[in-house]
Amino acid sequence: METPVIIPIHDPLITPLHSAQDAVAGSDVQSMDLTPEQQEPVSEDWLDELASGLSEHGWMSLDVGSRLGANLLAALKQEVQILDRTDAMKKAGIGRGSDLVRDRSVRRDKIAWLQGITAPQAALFEFFESIRQGLNQRLFLGLKRFETHYATYHSGDFYKQHLDSFKGRASRVVSLVLYLNEDWQAADGGALQVFNRDNDQEVCGTVLPEAGRMALFMSEEIPHEVLPANRTRYSLACWFRQDEVPLPLQV
């Protein structure tokens, strides 16, 4: 039985303080009801569905609101709203480390990395870990860990067509996006547009960023873009990776 590996990555934007809530926003945070709800379990059949969608089409979109629960989705949205309001999010870039470039003509969102140190994040990490193990068992992907961040797109923000990983890099293998926006309409913009993996000019799907909606796709294969938002848009991005665990943070 493989040992779950969930680790923080460099440049943390949330630091452990006196409590998990203090780590997000100090006195601004409101207590959220995380009492367990009647939720659908992460079943073997559901994991079969994820693996089938990825293997056949390279991507899929589905509603996971009933699996995560309204309370958890609301708590995650509250965290990212507070981070946004307190300027704790950083402008996102392209690449990593010394190769990072912040090109505002390509992407304009702001991000904050999660470390699993609050109750909502810990619950979300359990869900992601179930997916990691389930995909490994079914598709033999060798996923060793995952990383995840909040993303905020303000009105006018976008992310032009791109792949989440360079082919052959064997780092980010599967991408996941979870949306946190209630009452989102097509006129609000900000949709995820997915392109054919064999023809990056052919749109094969459009996903509205509605609360509880999740998109899953192969990082090296599926071109995608975020269309310009017409209102503030909140989401979580997660990548399941094959590379080894980096050195732990010194906090």
Side-chain angles (χ1 to χ4, degrees):
M1 180 176 179
E2 59 180 336
T3 302
V5 178
I6 304 174
I7 53 88
I9 67 166
H10 52 76
D11 295 330
L13 296 185
I14 302 177
T15 304
L17 299 176
H18 300 297
S19 72
Q21 290 182 337
D22 287 340
V24 176
S27 59
D28 285 341
V29 73
Q30 297 177 3
S31 178
M32 296 298 297
D33 180 11
L34 290 180
T35 303
E37 302 169 83
Q38 195 67 30
Q39 297 167 242
E40 293 183 49
V42 177
S43 65
E44 296 299 315
D45 287 345
W46 186 72
L47 291 169
D48 288 343
E49 180 185 349
L50 297 188
S52 177
L54 286 178
S55 61
E56 291 182 24
H57 307 292
W59 83 282
M60 65 188 306
S61 169
L62 65 166
D63 189 349
V64 296
S66 60
R67 299 186 187 279
L68 293 174
N71 290 342
L72 177 55
L73 290 171
L76 293 168
K77 182 179 179 182
Q78 185 191 59
E79 283 196 359
V80 66
Q81 285 179 313
I82 292 168
L83 289 166
D84 186 30
R85 187 168 68 238
T86 56
D87 293 326
M89 305 185 80
K90 292 183 178 180
K91 292 179 180 178
I94 305 161
R96 294 176 71 89
S98 60
D99 296 326
L100 181 67
V101 176
R102 291 186 173 87
D103 187 343
R104 300 284 285 170
S105 70
V106 175
R107 66 182 299 186
R108 293 191 178 181
D109 56 317
K110 295 191 298 181
I111 65 171
W113 293 98
L114 281 70
Q115 298 180 38
I117 60 175
T118 67
Q121 292 179 27
L124 182 70
F125 277 28
E126 288 184 14
F127 177 69
F128 288 164
E129 179 60 17
S130 297
I131 293 175
R132 185 189 73 83
Q133 292 190 27
L135 293 181
N136 274 348
Q137 291 166 2
R138 289 158 177 80
L139 300 178
F140 308 102
L141 294 176
L143 306 175
K144 295 182 174 64
R145 62 185 181 100
F146 60 81
E147 60 187 8
T148 180
H149 68 53
Y150 285 121
T152 298
Y153 288 75
H154 291 292
S155 183
D157 289 347
F158 57 84
Y159 193 169
K160 290 186 177 180
Q161 187 187 111
H162 63 283
L163 291 169
D164 279 356
S165 182
F166 294 110
K167 291 189 176 182
R169 182 72 61 86
S171 53
R172 292 177 172 176
V173 177
V174 177
S175 301
L176 181 156
V177 186
L178 174 66
Y179 299 106
L180 304 171
N181 312 286
E182 296 90 359
D183 303 317
W184 196 273
Q185 306 297 319
D188 295 325
L192 174 71
Q193 195 152 270
V194 180
F195 297 86
N196 190 318
R197 56 185 163 186
D198 299 317
N199 178 5
D200 64 10
Q201 300 303 305
E202 179 186 341
V203 176
C204 61
T206 300
V207 182
L208 288 183
E210 304 166 307
R213 175 62 49 175
M214 183 178 88
L216 194 69
F217 50 93
M218 302 303 295
S219 304
E220 294 185 353
E221 298 179 13
I222 303 299
H224 56 284
E225 69 176 322
V226 177
L227 299 177
N230 297 323
R231 57 179 269 209
T232 301
R233 171 193 188 275
Y234 299 111
S235 62
L236 278 149
C238 175
W239 296 274
F240 298 90
R241 303 178 62 104
Q242 286 181 343
D243 51 3
E244 297 297 328
V245 177
L247 293 174
L249 289 171
Q250 300 296 318
V251 294

